Structures are given as structure tokens and as C-alpha cells.
Amino acid sequence: MSNATLAPGVRPMPIPLGELLPWAIFAGLLMLLAIYFVGAEEGATSLISGMNVHEFVHDGRHLLGFPCH
């Protein structure tokens, strides 16, 4: 058996909110964009003409419960 001990008084540094906030906003915007393309990119709300985006995310749309037929 080994006797492993931690050094006393060593604590991990907390991440300041000012450094974390831009990354959280960026991740939130990416998630909203992904939800738009999976859930609403067809028909009247389509930003890209044609059915290429719809066919690309078709299986993901069904997996997440969005109707498309």
C-alpha cells in the first residue's frame, strides 16, 4: 500500500466569472443556432433555399422529436 497525501493548503484557483461569461454566451449562441437548424430550418422560416439543410439534419430532427413530415 502506498501512503499518498495531499500537500496541505493547496487549493485550486476558482475561475473568475468575467473570464467564463464570454464562453458561456458563445456556447449559448451556438446551441440556439443548432436548435434553429434542427428544428425550424424548413418551409416559411427557411433562411437557406432548397432542402439540403433539412436532409442533413433529418435524422437528428426525428431523434429530438421535431416533426417534419
Side-chain angles (χ1 to χ4, degrees):
M1 298 181 101
S2 66
N3 293 332
T5 59
L6 296 175
V10 176
R11 303 175 103 189
M13 295 287 297
I15 299 173
L17 184 61
E19 290 181 19
L20 186 62
L21 189 61
W23 290 102
I25 291 171
F26 177 67
L29 289 174
L30 282 180
M31 284 190 286
L32 285 174
L33 186 65
I35 287 173
Y36 168 76
F37 276 110
V38 171
E41 176 61 31
E42 70 175 313
T45 62
S46 181
L47 295 177
I48 300 171
S49 63
M51 294 295 290
N52 294 331
V53 173
H54 173 83
E55 294 301 325
F56 185 73
V57 297
H58 186 87
D59 292 338
R61 177 173 289 187
H62 286 298
L63 181 67
L64 295 173
F66 289 100
C68 66
H69 297 260

